[in-house]
Amino acid sequence: MGPEIKVLLQKISRLPGLGPRSARRIVLHLLKHKNELFEPLMMCFSDVFNNVKVCPRCHNVDTFIDCCSICADRSRSRDIICIVENVADLWAIERTACFRGQYHVLNGLLSSVEGRGPEALFLDQLLERCQENDAKEIIIALSVTVEGQMTDHYIKNFFSDKNMKVSSLAHGIPMGGELDYLDEGTLSTAFFARN
Amino acid sequence: MGPEIKVLLQKISRLPGLGPRSARRIVLHLLKHKNELFEPLMMCFSDVFNNVKVCPRCHNVDTFIDCCSICADRSRSRDIICIVENVADLWAIERTACFRGQYHVLNGLLSSVEGRGPEALFLDQLLERCQENDAKEIIIALSVTVEGQMTDHYIKNFFSDKNMKVSSLAHGIPMGGELDYLDEGTLSTAFFARN
């Protein structure tokens, strides 16, 4: 096969969740449907590539003109802001359709290993935004990992004297979770947080 | 999320082996590494898209100028031609590195359902090529399915009076295959073809 195809296969096989076999399947599928699939896909790629930006308000990564579709959506409440680690988590919450406020995307957690200190969370900018919009509530929706919980704690502390209501997502037994299969940490957390 | 990203996610999730979740992972990964990954990938895509052609000799799909890299490779024997269904099968045989001849890619089998008759196999063109290069041997490497075996049979019949040696890949127990787990068809085939 030609060098161009080899390089493309290599690049695709390194994408998350893919390997050499799936890369071959995808490339052959695209080559087979060159006009119906390959060309439109390339156009979509360049549309996204050329238009994607980081929203100056919430740091969401999106294609937009002034600010991302969530910040621009007038039907969404500006009183309540949900803090998420990254865009994947934002999309996950959007899929639940249970939150109609705004977001603040950290694009990374506090991490001494990666050298991300508190300034990387842009909490001053968030506070300013809260004051501008008279927002009164913050929901922290971070992963339950050491770094996630450390960041959660730091944010709570930061807002403690700012006259805001700050809450975190509940920890406990997931839907469909069977007690017998849960780890001890989750089970004991659920026990102490019983309501 | 913006409409461009939505359309891209939809297109990627329809590629073989992918779904909405893997599409999201891939797109977010690309957005996160816009300059190191996204841009080079797009350039590879357009390189392949602009240069890919069907080889006029063997019908392999490849990026090339006059004929595909296998037809152009002077170190490969022109005496022996292997007939495969599609480029995926050609790549599979190339990975074994056990064949150093040329190919004839059918790009589909005989199929009454899909209305593919014998003319779609381009056997006359293959015969001409064999005569030009004084090729004396044909290896038929088609899948062991009804359509594959029908096509195999038709090709054998076509070459029966052309003074060529025509063989098909052996059928039998795959490497690492345990008798107890094999289907009856494979086992009885292996039995009758014992050597």
Side-chain angles (χ1 to χ4, degrees):
Chain A
M1 85 188 69
E4 294 91 345
I5 297 182
K6 260 183 205 152
V7 175
L8 180 62
L9 281 176
Q10 202 182 44
K11 289 221 184 293
I12 292 182
S13 68
R14 283 183 195 156
L15 291 176
L18 301 184
R21 202 186 149 74
S22 37
R24 285 196 296 270
R25 279 186 69 192
I26 289 169
V27 169
L28 284 168
H29 186 73
L30 290 174
L31 293 180
K32 202 172 175 184
H33 305 276
K34 216 182 149 199
N35 296 323
E36 320 90 87
L37 266 181
F38 200 169
E39 196 164 22
L41 180 69
M42 286 210 308
M43 282 163 61
C44 286
F45 266 122
S46 75
D47 273 357
V48 169
F49 184 82
N50 293 324
N51 295 312
V52 82
K53 281 178 285 189
V54 175
C55 175
R57 288 184 81 235
C58 70
H59 307 140
N60 182 10
V61 179
D62 203 352
T63 54
F64 58 86
I65 299 165
D66 295 325
C67 59
C68 77
S69 50
I70 292 172
C71 286
D73 186 345
R74 289 274 144 204
S75 75
R76 296 184 75 114
S77 160
R78 271 144 212 278
D79 299 349
I80 177 164
I81 292 173
C82 178
I83 300 181
V84 290
E85 180 186 342
N86 52 39
V87 181
D89 293 353
L90 185 155
W91 288 359
I93 294 173
E94 282 299 286
R95 283 199 297 281
T96 68
C98 71
F99 179 67
R100 295 290 300 162
Q102 308 270 316
Y103 289 92
H104 177 74
V105 183
L106 300 177
N107 285 318
L109 298 170
L110 287 182
S111 163
S112 46
V113 178
E114 292 172 32
R116 282 179 61 88
E119 68 290 346
L121 305 179
F122 295 100
L123 293 182
D124 289 322
Q125 192 193 333
L126 174 61
L127 182 63
E128 216 170 276
R129 198 175 133 205
C130 289
Q131 286 163 346
E132 264 171 33
N133 292 295
D134 208 24
K136 287 277 170 239
E137 190 171 352
I138 300 269
I139 299 174
I140 309 177
L142 299 179
S143 300
V144 189
T145 56
V146 173
E147 293 182 340
Q149 292 312 292
M150 193 169 69
T151 311
D152 180 292
H153 190 78
Y154 182 87
I155 297 172
K156 275 213 182 82
N157 202 42
F158 177 88
F159 281 103
S160 60
D161 55 354
K162 307 288 192 299
N163 189 27
M164 305 270 294
K165 188 183 164 195
V166 181
S167 58
S168 305
L169 294 196
H171 302 165
I173 306 169
M175 294 304 107
E178 291 181 52
L179 289 200
D180 197 20
Y181 288 93
L182 281 178
D183 63 294
E184 287 74 15
T186 304
L187 197 51
S188 61
T189 304
F191 223 91
F192 289 116
R194 68 190 179 275
N195 48 34
Chain B
M1 82 188 74
E4 294 92 344
I5 297 183
K6 260 184 206 151
V7 175
L8 180 63
L9 281 175
Q10 201 183 45
K11 290 223 183 292
I12 292 183
S13 68
R14 283 183 194 154
L15 292 176
L18 301 184
R21 201 184 150 75
S22 36
R24 285 196 297 270
R25 278 186 70 193
I26 289 169
V27 169
L28 284 168
H29 186 72
L30 290 174
L31 293 180
K32 203 172 174 184
H33 306 275
K34 216 183 149 197
N35 296 323
E36 321 90 86
L37 267 180
F38 199 169
E39 196 164 24
L41 180 69
M42 286 210 309
M43 282 164 63
C44 285
F45 266 124
S46 76
D47 274 356
V48 168
F49 184 81
N50 293 324
N51 294 311
V52 81
K53 282 178 285 191
V54 175
C55 175
R57 287 184 82 235
C58 71
H59 306 139
N60 182 10
V61 179
D62 203 352
T63 54
F64 58 86
I65 299 163
D66 294 325
C67 59
C68 76
S69 50
I70 293 173
C71 287
D73 186 345
R74 289 273 144 203
S75 73
R76 297 182 76 114
S77 160
R78 271 143 212 277
D79 299 349
I80 177 163
I81 292 172
C82 178
I83 301 181
V84 289
E85 181 186 340
N86 52 39
V87 181
D89 294 353
L90 185 155
W91 289 359
I93 294 173
E94 283 298 289
R95 282 198 299 280
T96 68
C98 71
F99 178 67
R100 293 291 300 163
Q102 308 270 316
Y103 289 93
H104 177 75
V105 184
L106 299 177
N107 285 318
L109 300 168
L110 288 182
S111 164
S112 46
V113 178
E114 291 172 33
R116 283 178 60 88
E119 68 289 346
L121 305 180
F122 296 100
L123 294 182
D124 290 322
Q125 192 193 331
L126 174 60
L127 183 62
E128 218 170 273
R129 199 176 132 205
C130 289
Q131 286 162 347
E132 265 171 33
N133 292 296
D134 207 24
K136 286 278 169 239
E137 191 172 352
I138 299 270
I139 298 175
I140 310 176
L142 298 179
S143 299
V144 189
T145 57
V146 173
E147 293 183 340
Q149 293 311 293
M150 193 170 70
T151 311
D152 181 291
H153 190 78
Y154 182 87
I155 296 171
K156 277 212 180 83
N157 202 42
F158 177 88
F159 282 103
S160 60
D161 55 353
K162 305 289 191 301
N163 189 28
M164 304 271 292
K165 189 181 163 196
V166 181
S167 58
S168 304
L169 293 197
H171 302 165
I173 305 169
M175 294 304 106
E178 289 182 53
L179 291 199
D180 197 20
Y181 288 93
L182 282 178
D183 63 295
E184 287 75 13
T186 303
L187 198 50
S188 61
T189 305
F191 223 91
F192 289 116
R194 67 190 179 275
N195 46 34

